[in-house]
Amino acid sequence: MAYKSPGKGYADVADHFRALIKSGELAPDDALPSVAEIREQFDVAAKTVSRALGVLKSEGLVTSRGSLGTVVAKSPLVITGADRLERMARNGLRYAPGETSSGHRVMRRSVYEPAVCKALELEPGDEAVIRIRVFRQDGRPTSVGVSVYPPHTVNEVPELAEDVRMVRQFGELYTERTGHEVVAGQRTAQARQASQDELNALEIDAPPHTSVAVLVTTVTFHDDDRALGYWEDVYAPGSHVPISK
């Protein structure tokens, strides 16, 4: 009897395991199920499983490991920003296995950066609360996260101005206290030259006057009336960054 798939294709299988890796439910060095187990789980042919694993290998997410079969690659993805919120909503994991953060700083500063002023509808020189932290995977810096909050957001969520790690996400607290839903805007990405502060945070020892390109993603959060926060993530060169669909 010819084997007939009920509709699942190799892209569906690949997407399933990609989501588990992205969410941290499958950690680096974790083994994926065997080909036979994946066939049974999705009711697909061996060829379909092979193609799915091939896609994941081409994306650098998994690798072959002899008798262990297919395992998750070391530090395959750097998850920060809005993707971190999605992961927490999915499984409650603030950090992936092997991931930590350091260098937490909270400050009140006058904001002059044009992109930030435009996103938050601030005048140059207006004061905002800025939170900075460095994310690490197995001790190695992978990205710098910067979040900027205007006064009206801090008025509702004063914890943002406290020099401690937030236990809950600001959006949850804001919605709980105001009744207004917080929505993430379009996440955008661009490459630019890293500042010296960013090089120091990422522990990149570049020769003086050397340009180092980094990927930067940004997203602005809103409620029905106004902008509430601006997040920027600066990724170390060579990082694999998932881009939301």
mmCIF file of all heavy atoms in Angstrom, residues 124-164:
data_model
loop_
_atom_site.group_PDB
_atom_site.id
_atom_site.type_symbol
_atom_site.label_atom_id
_atom_site.label_comp_id
_atom_site.label_asym_id
_atom_site.label_seq_id
_atom_site.Cartn_x
_atom_site.Cartn_y
_atom_site.Cartn_z
ATOM 1 N N PRO A 124 13.045 66.704 21.808
ATOM 2 C CA PRO A 124 14.453 66.520 22.202
ATOM 3 C C PRO A 124 14.731 67.185 23.545
ATOM 4 O O PRO A 124 14.377 68.333 23.779
ATOM 5 C CB PRO A 124 15.220 67.203 21.067
ATOM 6 C CG PRO A 124 14.305 67.101 19.886
ATOM 7 C CD PRO A 124 12.918 67.258 20.451
ATOM 8 N N GLY A 125 15.331 66.419 24.444
ATOM 9 C CA GLY A 125 15.613 66.916 25.779
ATOM 10 C C GLY A 125 14.614 66.468 26.822
ATOM 11 O O GLY A 125 14.859 66.623 28.023
ATOM 12 N N ASP A 126 13.465 65.911 26.389
ATOM 13 C CA ASP A 126 12.507 65.372 27.352
ATOM 14 C C ASP A 126 13.134 64.209 28.117
ATOM 15 O O ASP A 126 13.950 63.456 27.578
ATOM 16 C CB ASP A 126 11.236 64.886 26.647
ATOM 17 C CG ASP A 126 10.316 66.019 26.243
ATOM 18 O OD1 ASP A 126 10.589 67.171 26.640
ATOM 19 O OD2 ASP A 126 9.324 65.748 25.529
ATOM 20 N N GLU A 127 12.717 64.047 29.352
ATOM 21 C CA GLU A 127 13.280 62.995 30.194
ATOM 22 C C GLU A 127 12.515 61.682 30.006
ATOM 23 O O GLU A 127 11.304 61.675 29.807
ATOM 24 C CB GLU A 127 13.221 63.415 31.662
ATOM 25 C CG GLU A 127 13.925 62.433 32.598
ATOM 26 C CD GLU A 127 13.872 62.885 34.046
ATOM 27 O OE1 GLU A 127 12.826 62.648 34.696
ATOM 28 O OE2 GLU A 127 14.850 63.487 34.516
ATOM 29 N N ALA A 128 13.235 60.596 30.071
ATOM 30 C CA ALA A 128 12.638 59.267 29.990
ATOM 31 C C ALA A 128 13.429 58.323 30.883
ATOM 32 O O ALA A 128 14.556 58.627 31.292
ATOM 33 C CB ALA A 128 12.636 58.756 28.552
ATOM 34 N N VAL A 129 12.837 57.189 31.185
ATOM 35 C CA VAL A 129 13.540 56.139 31.923
ATOM 36 C C VAL A 129 14.123 55.157 30.914
ATOM 37 O O VAL A 129 13.430 54.692 30.010
ATOM 38 C CB VAL A 129 12.591 55.402 32.892
ATOM 39 C CG1 VAL A 129 13.237 54.118 33.428
ATOM 40 C CG2 VAL A 129 12.212 56.317 34.046
ATOM 41 N N ILE A 130 15.396 54.854 31.086
ATOM 42 C CA ILE A 130 16.107 53.952 30.173
ATOM 43 C C ILE A 130 16.602 52.752 30.971
ATOM 44 O O ILE A 130 17.227 52.912 32.022
ATOM 45 C CB ILE A 130 17.295 54.666 29.496
ATOM 46 C CG1 ILE A 130 16.796 55.896 28.732
ATOM 47 C CG2 ILE A 130 18.031 53.709 28.564
ATOM 48 C CD1 ILE A 130 17.913 56.758 28.177
ATOM 49 N N ARG A 131 16.306 51.568 30.471
ATOM 50 C CA ARG A 131 16.745 50.322 31.101
ATOM 51 C C ARG A 131 17.645 49.587 30.118
ATOM 52 O O ARG A 131 17.306 49.445 28.946
ATOM 53 C CB ARG A 131 15.552 49.447 31.494
ATOM 54 C CG ARG A 131 14.605 50.123 32.500
ATOM 55 C CD ARG A 131 13.416 49.233 32.832
ATOM 56 N NE ARG A 131 13.827 48.019 33.528
ATOM 57 C CZ ARG A 131 13.920 47.904 34.859
ATOM 58 N NH1 ARG A 131 13.634 48.948 35.637
ATOM 59 N NH2 ARG A 131 14.273 46.776 35.415
ATOM 60 N N ILE A 132 18.803 49.124 30.598
ATOM 61 C CA ILE A 132 19.795 48.459 29.746
ATOM 62 C C ILE A 132 20.195 47.143 30.396
ATOM 63 O O ILE A 132 20.352 47.059 31.618
ATOM 64 C CB ILE A 132 21.043 49.341 29.553
ATOM 65 C CG1 ILE A 132 20.660 50.688 28.929
ATOM 66 C CG2 ILE A 132 22.083 48.640 28.687
ATOM 67 C CD1 ILE A 132 21.809 51.673 28.846
ATOM 68 N N ARG A 133 20.375 46.103 29.585
ATOM 69 C CA ARG A 133 20.881 44.829 30.083
ATOM 70 C C ARG A 133 21.582 44.100 28.943
ATOM 71 O O ARG A 133 21.292 44.325 27.769
ATOM 72 C CB ARG A 133 19.798 43.947 30.684
ATOM 73 C CG ARG A 133 18.670 43.567 29.752
ATOM 74 C CD ARG A 133 17.663 44.642 29.653
ATOM 75 N NE ARG A 133 16.408 44.235 29.050
ATOM 76 C CZ ARG A 133 15.581 45.116 28.474
ATOM 77 N NH1 ARG A 133 15.884 46.395 28.404
ATOM 78 N NH2 ARG A 133 14.439 44.707 27.973
ATOM 79 N N VAL A 134 22.519 43.237 29.307
ATOM 80 C CA VAL A 134 23.271 42.440 28.344
ATOM 81 C C VAL A 134 22.821 40.988 28.474
ATOM 82 O O VAL A 134 22.862 40.413 29.573
ATOM 83 C CB VAL A 134 24.793 42.541 28.586
ATOM 84 C CG1 VAL A 134 25.553 41.665 27.587
ATOM 85 C CG2 VAL A 134 25.255 43.988 28.493
ATOM 86 N N PHE A 135 22.372 40.406 27.376
ATOM 87 C CA PHE A 135 21.975 39.001 27.384
ATOM 88 C C PHE A 135 23.170 38.134 27.012
ATOM 89 O O PHE A 135 23.970 38.485 26.137
ATOM 90 C CB PHE A 135 20.824 38.769 26.407
ATOM 91 C CG PHE A 135 19.551 39.437 26.828
ATOM 92 C CD1 PHE A 135 19.151 40.640 26.255
ATOM 93 C CD2 PHE A 135 18.748 38.880 27.811
ATOM 94 C CE1 PHE A 135 17.993 41.269 26.665
ATOM 95 C CE2 PHE A 135 17.585 39.504 28.224
ATOM 96 C CZ PHE A 135 17.202 40.697 27.651
ATOM 97 N N ARG A 136 23.266 36.970 27.682
ATOM 98 C CA ARG A 136 24.397 36.067 27.478
ATOM 99 C C ARG A 136 23.905 34.650 27.240
ATOM 100 O O ARG A 136 22.899 34.235 27.810
ATOM 101 C CB ARG A 136 25.327 36.076 28.709
ATOM 102 C CG ARG A 136 25.973 37.419 28.968
ATOM 103 C CD ARG A 136 26.752 37.435 30.279
ATOM 104 N NE ARG A 136 27.481 38.677 30.461
ATOM 105 C CZ ARG A 136 28.711 38.898 30.015
ATOM 106 N NH1 ARG A 136 29.364 37.911 29.403
ATOM 107 N NH2 ARG A 136 29.291 40.048 30.187
ATOM 108 N N GLN A 137 24.647 33.932 26.440
ATOM 109 C CA GLN A 137 24.390 32.505 26.224
ATOM 110 C C GLN A 137 25.647 31.755 26.585
ATOM 111 O O GLN A 137 26.707 31.992 26.000
ATOM 112 C CB GLN A 137 24.013 32.225 24.771
ATOM 113 C CG GLN A 137 23.661 30.770 24.490
ATOM 114 C CD GLN A 137 22.350 30.347 25.158
ATOM 115 O OE1 GLN A 137 21.394 31.102 25.165
ATOM 116 N NE2 GLN A 137 22.320 29.134 25.698
ATOM 117 N N ASP A 138 25.543 30.886 27.592
ATOM 118 C CA ASP A 138 26.704 30.150 28.094
ATOM 119 C C ASP A 138 27.840 31.101 28.449
ATOM 120 O O ASP A 138 29.015 30.829 28.189
ATOM 121 C CB ASP A 138 27.171 29.127 27.053
ATOM 122 C CG ASP A 138 26.099 28.101 26.727
ATOM 123 O OD1 ASP A 138 25.365 27.703 27.652
ATOM 124 O OD2 ASP A 138 25.975 27.715 25.548
ATOM 125 N N GLY A 139 27.480 32.242 29.032
ATOM 126 C CA GLY A 139 28.466 33.216 29.491
ATOM 127 C C GLY A 139 28.930 34.200 28.443
ATOM 128 O O GLY A 139 29.589 35.190 28.775
ATOM 129 N N ARG A 140 28.596 33.979 27.192
ATOM 130 C CA ARG A 140 29.065 34.847 26.106
ATOM 131 C C ARG A 140 28.018 35.902 25.775
ATOM 132 O O ARG A 140 26.850 35.579 25.580
ATOM 133 C CB ARG A 140 29.351 33.995 24.853
ATOM 134 C CG ARG A 140 29.812 34.789 23.639
ATOM 135 C CD ARG A 140 30.100 33.839 22.488
ATOM 136 N NE ARG A 140 28.908 33.087 22.094
ATOM 137 C CZ ARG A 140 27.994 33.537 21.239
ATOM 138 N NH1 ARG A 140 28.135 34.740 20.682
ATOM 139 N NH2 ARG A 140 26.950 32.792 20.934
ATOM 140 N N PRO A 141 28.398 37.188 25.705
ATOM 141 C CA PRO A 141 27.418 38.222 25.362
ATOM 142 C C PRO A 141 26.866 38.000 23.958
ATOM 143 O O PRO A 141 27.619 37.763 23.011
ATOM 144 C CB PRO A 141 28.226 39.526 25.424
ATOM 145 C CG PRO A 141 29.439 39.192 26.219
ATOM 146 C CD PRO A 141 29.730 37.758 25.951
ATOM 147 N N THR A 142 25.557 38.058 23.829
ATOM 148 C CA THR A 142 24.926 37.878 22.521
ATOM 149 C C THR A 142 24.176 39.112 22.045
ATOM 150 O O THR A 142 24.029 39.325 20.847
ATOM 151 C CB THR A 142 23.944 36.698 22.549
ATOM 152 O OG1 THR A 142 22.984 36.914 23.605
ATOM 153 C CG2 THR A 142 24.670 35.382 22.784
ATOM 154 N N SER A 143 23.685 39.931 22.996
ATOM 155 C CA SER A 143 22.960 41.129 22.581
ATOM 156 C C SER A 143 22.852 42.105 23.743
ATOM 157 O O SER A 143 22.979 41.723 24.911
ATOM 158 C CB SER A 143 21.555 40.777 22.069
ATOM 159 O OG SER A 143 20.763 40.250 23.121
ATOM 160 N N VAL A 144 22.623 43.358 23.381
ATOM 161 C CA VAL A 144 22.363 44.403 24.367
ATOM 162 C C VAL A 144 20.926 44.863 24.174
ATOM 163 O O VAL A 144 20.529 45.216 23.054
ATOM 164 C CB VAL A 144 23.317 45.598 24.189
ATOM 165 C CG1 VAL A 144 23.020 46.678 25.232
ATOM 166 C CG2 VAL A 144 24.770 45.148 24.296
ATOM 167 N N GLY A 145 20.137 44.836 25.245
ATOM 168 C CA GLY A 145 18.759 45.277 25.182
ATOM 169 C C GLY A 145 18.597 46.637 25.841
ATOM 170 O O GLY A 145 19.047 46.834 26.975
ATOM 171 N N VAL A 146 17.996 47.573 25.128
ATOM 172 C CA VAL A 146 17.741 48.914 25.657
ATOM 173 C C VAL A 146 16.247 49.182 25.540
ATOM 174 O O VAL A 146 15.665 49.014 24.467
ATOM 175 C CB VAL A 146 18.523 49.993 24.878
ATOM 176 C CG1 VAL A 146 18.224 51.381 25.447
ATOM 177 C CG2 VAL A 146 20.020 49.711 24.907
ATOM 178 N N SER A 147 15.619 49.604 26.630
ATOM 179 C CA SER A 147 14.208 49.968 26.579
ATOM 180 C C SER A 147 14.043 51.374 27.144
ATOM 181 O O SER A 147 14.675 51.727 28.141
ATOM 182 C CB SER A 147 13.340 48.959 27.339
ATOM 183 O OG SER A 147 13.822 48.754 28.646
ATOM 184 N N VAL A 148 13.205 52.159 26.480
ATOM 185 C CA VAL A 148 13.007 53.564 26.849
ATOM 186 C C VAL A 148 11.521 53.789 27.111
ATOM 187 O O VAL A 148 10.674 53.409 26.284
ATOM 188 C CB VAL A 148 13.494 54.503 25.722
ATOM 189 C CG1 VAL A 148 13.399 55.959 26.174
ATOM 190 C CG2 VAL A 148 14.924 54.169 25.305
ATOM 191 N N TYR A 149 11.205 54.425 28.252
ATOM 192 C CA TYR A 149 9.814 54.621 28.637
ATOM 193 C C TYR A 149 9.560 56.104 28.937
ATOM 194 O O TYR A 149 10.284 56.707 29.745
ATOM 195 C CB TYR A 149 9.473 53.790 29.874
ATOM 196 C CG TYR A 149 9.702 52.316 29.664
ATOM 197 C CD1 TYR A 149 10.885 51.714 30.090
ATOM 198 C CD2 TYR A 149 8.751 51.531 29.013
ATOM 199 C CE1 TYR A 149 11.113 50.357 29.880
ATOM 200 C CE2 TYR A 149 8.972 50.174 28.811
ATOM 201 C CZ TYR A 149 10.149 49.599 29.242
ATOM 202 O OH TYR A 149 10.373 48.260 29.031
ATOM 203 N N PRO A 150 8.529 56.704 28.320
ATOM 204 C CA PRO A 150 8.198 58.101 28.578
ATOM 205 C C PRO A 150 7.543 58.263 29.943
ATOM 206 O O PRO A 150 7.101 57.281 30.557
ATOM 207 C CB PRO A 150 7.231 58.437 27.442
ATOM 208 C CG PRO A 150 6.581 57.131 27.115
ATOM 209 C CD PRO A 150 7.635 56.083 27.322
ATOM 210 N N PRO A 151 7.439 59.498 30.432
ATOM 211 C CA PRO A 151 6.895 59.730 31.783
ATOM 212 C C PRO A 151 5.500 59.151 31.998
ATOM 213 O O PRO A 151 5.212 58.627 33.083
ATOM 214 C CB PRO A 151 6.887 61.256 31.888
ATOM 215 C CG PRO A 151 8.003 61.698 30.990
ATOM 216 C CD PRO A 151 7.975 60.742 29.836
ATOM 217 N N HIS A 152 4.608 59.228 30.996
ATOM 218 C CA HIS A 152 3.246 58.745 31.246
ATOM 219 C C HIS A 152 3.199 57.235 31.461
ATOM 220 O O HIS A 152 2.318 56.735 32.156
ATOM 221 C CB HIS A 152 2.295 59.157 30.107
ATOM 222 C CG HIS A 152 2.721 58.733 28.746
ATOM 223 N ND1 HIS A 152 3.392 59.574 27.879
ATOM 224 C CD2 HIS A 152 2.580 57.560 28.085
ATOM 225 C CE1 HIS A 152 3.623 58.937 26.742
ATOM 226 N NE2 HIS A 152 3.147 57.713 26.849
ATOM 227 N N THR A 153 4.145 56.495 30.879
ATOM 228 C CA THR A 153 4.209 55.055 31.142
ATOM 229 C C THR A 153 4.743 54.783 32.540
ATOM 230 O O THR A 153 4.222 53.933 33.276
ATOM 231 C CB THR A 153 5.101 54.353 30.099
ATOM 232 O OG1 THR A 153 4.633 54.644 28.788
ATOM 233 C CG2 THR A 153 5.096 52.846 30.308
ATOM 234 N N VAL A 154 5.777 55.535 32.914
ATOM 235 C CA VAL A 154 6.388 55.350 34.233
ATOM 236 C C VAL A 154 5.409 55.738 35.331
ATOM 237 O O VAL A 154 5.407 55.142 36.425
ATOM 238 C CB VAL A 154 7.688 56.160 34.338
ATOM 239 C CG1 VAL A 154 8.328 55.985 35.717
ATOM 240 C CG2 VAL A 154 8.676 55.718 33.248
ATOM 241 N N ASN A 155 4.546 56.708 35.069
ATOM 242 C CA ASN A 155 3.541 57.089 36.071
ATOM 243 C C ASN A 155 2.632 55.913 36.407
ATOM 244 O O ASN A 155 2.214 55.741 37.557
ATOM 245 C CB ASN A 155 2.697 58.257 35.553
ATOM 246 C CG ASN A 155 3.462 59.566 35.539
ATOM 247 O OD1 ASN A 155 4.480 59.708 36.211
ATOM 248 N ND2 ASN A 155 2.992 60.513 34.743
ATOM 249 N N GLU A 156 2.300 55.111 35.399
ATOM 250 C CA GLU A 156 1.425 53.954 35.621
ATOM 251 C C GLU A 156 2.197 52.741 36.125
ATOM 252 O O GLU A 156 1.649 51.903 36.851
ATOM 253 C CB GLU A 156 0.692 53.601 34.321
ATOM 254 C CG GLU A 156 -0.194 54.707 33.765
ATOM 255 C CD GLU A 156 -1.387 55.021 34.657
ATOM 256 O OE1 GLU A 156 -1.683 54.222 35.576
ATOM 257 O OE2 GLU A 156 -2.015 56.082 34.439
ATOM 258 N N VAL A 157 3.462 52.623 35.722
ATOM 259 C CA VAL A 157 4.290 51.477 36.119
ATOM 260 C C VAL A 157 5.578 52.024 36.731
ATOM 261 O O VAL A 157 6.645 52.006 36.112
ATOM 262 C CB VAL A 157 4.609 50.572 34.916
ATOM 263 C CG1 VAL A 157 5.275 49.272 35.382
ATOM 264 C CG2 VAL A 157 3.348 50.235 34.125
ATOM 265 N N PRO A 158 5.511 52.536 37.957
ATOM 266 C CA PRO A 158 6.705 53.143 38.571
ATOM 267 C C PRO A 158 7.846 52.162 38.792
ATOM 268 O O PRO A 158 9.002 52.575 38.961
ATOM 269 C CB PRO A 158 6.168 53.692 39.902
ATOM 270 C CG PRO A 158 4.907 52.938 40.168
ATOM 271 C CD PRO A 158 4.320 52.644 38.814
ATOM 272 N N GLU A 159 7.551 50.866 38.751
ATOM 273 C CA GLU A 159 8.621 49.868 38.890
ATOM 274 C C GLU A 159 9.685 50.022 37.809
ATOM 275 O O GLU A 159 10.831 49.609 37.991
ATOM 276 C CB GLU A 159 8.041 48.450 38.827
ATOM 277 C CG GLU A 159 7.124 48.097 39.983
ATOM 278 C CD GLU A 159 5.658 48.352 39.667
ATOM 279 O OE1 GLU A 159 5.358 49.275 38.871
ATOM 280 O OE2 GLU A 159 4.815 47.630 40.221
ATOM 281 N N LEU A 160 9.309 50.598 36.672
ATOM 282 C CA LEU A 160 10.261 50.774 35.581
ATOM 283 C C LEU A 160 11.439 51.659 35.980
ATOM 284 O O LEU A 160 12.531 51.533 35.422
ATOM 285 C CB LEU A 160 9.562 51.377 34.355
ATOM 286 C CG LEU A 160 8.571 50.470 33.634
ATOM 287 C CD1 LEU A 160 7.744 51.272 32.638
ATOM 288 C CD2 LEU A 160 9.306 49.332 32.926
ATOM 289 N N ALA A 161 11.219 52.570 36.913
ATOM 290 C CA ALA A 161 12.271 53.490 37.336
ATOM 291 C C ALA A 161 13.119 52.938 38.474
ATOM 292 O O ALA A 161 14.089 53.579 38.889
ATOM 293 C CB ALA A 161 11.662 54.828 37.744
ATOM 294 N N GLU A 162 12.767 51.771 38.993
ATOM 295 C CA GLU A 162 13.511 51.182 40.097
ATOM 296 C C GLU A 162 14.687 50.374 39.560
ATOM 297 O O GLU A 162 14.561 49.644 38.572
ATOM 298 C CB GLU A 162 12.593 50.296 40.933
ATOM 299 C CG GLU A 162 11.437 51.051 41.567
ATOM 300 C CD GLU A 162 10.441 50.134 42.251
ATOM 301 O OE1 GLU A 162 10.682 48.896 42.256
ATOM 302 O OE2 GLU A 162 9.423 50.632 42.754
ATOM 303 N N ASP A 163 15.810 50.491 40.223
ATOM 304 C CA ASP A 163 17.030 49.839 39.754
ATOM 305 C C ASP A 163 17.070 48.376 40.192
ATOM 306 O O ASP A 163 17.975 47.939 40.895
ATOM 307 C CB ASP A 163 18.252 50.587 40.276
ATOM 308 C CG ASP A 163 19.528 50.179 39.533
ATOM 309 O OD1 ASP A 163 19.418 49.423 38.556
ATOM 310 O OD2 ASP A 163 20.613 50.615 39.943
ATOM 311 N N VAL A 164 16.050 47.645 39.782
ATOM 312 C CA VAL A 164 15.958 46.215 40.052
ATOM 313 C C VAL A 164 15.386 45.539 38.804
ATOM 314 O O VAL A 164 14.785 46.190 37.951
ATOM 315 C CB VAL A 164 15.047 45.904 41.260
ATOM 316 C CG1 VAL A 164 15.665 46.453 42.542
ATOM 317 C CG2 VAL A 164 13.660 46.477 41.044
#
